[in-house]
Amino acid sequence: MTAAALALTAAVLMHVAWNLLARASHPDSRFLWWALVGYLVILGPWSLYALVTEAHWSYSLAGLLVISALANSVYFLVLGAAYRHAPVALVYPIARSSPLLIAVWSSLFFGEVIAAGGWIGILVSVGGLLLMAASARHGDSRRALLWAVIAALATSVYSLSNKLAVPSLPTYGAQLGLVSTDLFASFVALSIEQRVRLGRWRPSAMPPITRWLPAGLFIGNAYGLVIFAMQYLSAAYAVAFTNAGIVLAGLLSILVFGERERWRTRLAAIAIITVGLGVLAFSA
């Protein structure tokens, strides 16, 4: 396997792992907030030092870091807003449809040429994501849909910023430094939102450290490995391949956790996403 394939495989497994850890935690604990604390405390100082000392600095890189951090913060905030109106099963697949937006932006504004097979793979996999979202229409789906689409837009912005920045980040430490700037900005944004909405700076409950600390390491490194893969692949391809995590998580929810609601539709969506990713892999 190529370096990019190995990196994305590890990223997918880490992404599924931290989502499973979050699944086992009470919503009041705001598991993501604690996971960001874990990552920033353990890997934040080292990765930021690597970013400062190992990156090829320029005004362009500094601007890309700012754009990426702001877009990442918007992503976390609007995703949380969407989850307050509808379940993850509806919101997350729509938010993860960003590879189509990334492909459009990179083609229109950066002159990237994506092969026909790449477009087909992305369109098919996004179609599967939308089918999966349609199988979970609960809550205020109309309002949640708006926030989920904004989350997809924010993902496309920070993903393209990461792709443009990665040539100036020659080491994995520097690439994780970019992750640290994004996650620190997101942590600050989530803390302010929590203070404004709930009247406190930290969650009212803390999940077990054996869950949120590993989750933080998984979150940061999964993101870092996607940036690493962008050295070899277009941003649209790299982000699309991480949707294999939705396939794996969907199968686990049906086969292991016994979530049978509209399971045939969800299995069909999983199959469509898998076919799309297969076409994309063949064209990469």
Side-chain angles (χ1 to χ4, degrees):
M1 297 178 72
T2 65
L6 287 171
L8 291 173
T9 300
V12 165
L13 294 175
M14 289 183 185
H15 190 74
V16 172
W18 89 257
N19 276 279
L20 290 176
L21 291 168
R23 178 193 179 100
S25 299
H26 193 277
D28 289 345
S29 68
R30 302 206 77 189
F31 187 82
L32 177 60
W33 189 92
W34 288 104
L36 294 182
V37 169
Y39 169 80
L40 291 170
V41 168
I42 294 179
L43 289 180
W46 166 73
S47 61
L48 289 172
Y49 176 79
L51 175 64
V52 170
T53 59
E54 297 170 6
H56 303 316
W57 281 98
S58 65
Y59 288 117
S60 175
L61 175 60
L64 290 169
L65 291 177
V66 171
I67 293 170
S68 182
L70 291 174
N72 201 273
S73 299
V74 170
Y75 169 78
F76 279 125
L77 289 173
V78 299
L79 198 63
Y83 288 156
R84 289 193 289 274
H85 296 289
V88 173
L90 168 66
V91 172
Y92 196 61
I94 296 173
R96 294 300 301 175
S97 64
S98 59
L100 180 57
L101 295 173
I102 296 170
V104 171
W105 306 150
S106 60
S107 299
L108 288 177
F109 302 116
F110 301 103
E112 182 175 1
V113 177
I114 296 177
W119 282 109
I120 293 171
I122 290 171
L123 287 168
V124 171
S125 62
V126 168
L129 290 169
L130 296 180
L131 177 60
M132 182 173 287
S135 71
R137 289 191 173 276
H138 298 292
D140 188 352
S141 58
R142 182 174 298 178
R143 188 174 299 180
L145 179 62
L146 173 62
W147 291 121
V149 169
I150 295 173
L153 286 167
T155 302
S156 70
V157 172
Y158 74 70
S159 296
L160 283 172
S161 299
N162 297 161
K163 173 63 176 178
L164 294 172
V166 78
S168 300
L169 306 173
T171 66
Y172 185 62
Q175 292 157 18
L176 270 187
L178 185 158
V179 173
S180 293
T181 61
D182 280 8
L183 296 189
F184 178 75
S186 298
F187 171 75
V188 171
L190 288 174
S191 298
I192 294 173
E193 180 267 342
Q194 184 170 247
R195 175 66 178 176
V196 171
R197 192 169 61 86
L198 302 175
R200 60 175 71 95
W201 287 107
R202 55 170 282 178
S204 58
M206 182 176 74
I209 193 172
T210 52
R211 291 179 186 168
W212 61 262
L213 192 58
L217 297 178
F218 292 151
I219 289 174
N221 280 289
Y223 186 7
L225 288 168
V226 173
I227 295 173
F228 174 86
M230 287 181 185
Q231 297 174 105
Y232 309 100
L233 297 173
S234 74
Y237 280 41
V239 176
F241 283 132
T242 62
N243 284 337
I246 292 180
V247 171
L248 181 55
L251 290 174
L252 289 174
S253 70
I254 296 171
L255 301 176
V256 177
F257 298 108
E259 296 176 358
R260 301 298 183 185
E261 183 180 9
R262 303 195 69 178
W263 66 271
R264 291 182 179 86
T265 302
R266 287 158 57 204
L267 273 181
I270 288 170
I272 292 171
I273 295 169
T274 303
V275 169
L277 295 180
V279 173
L280 194 63
F282 184 78
S283 66

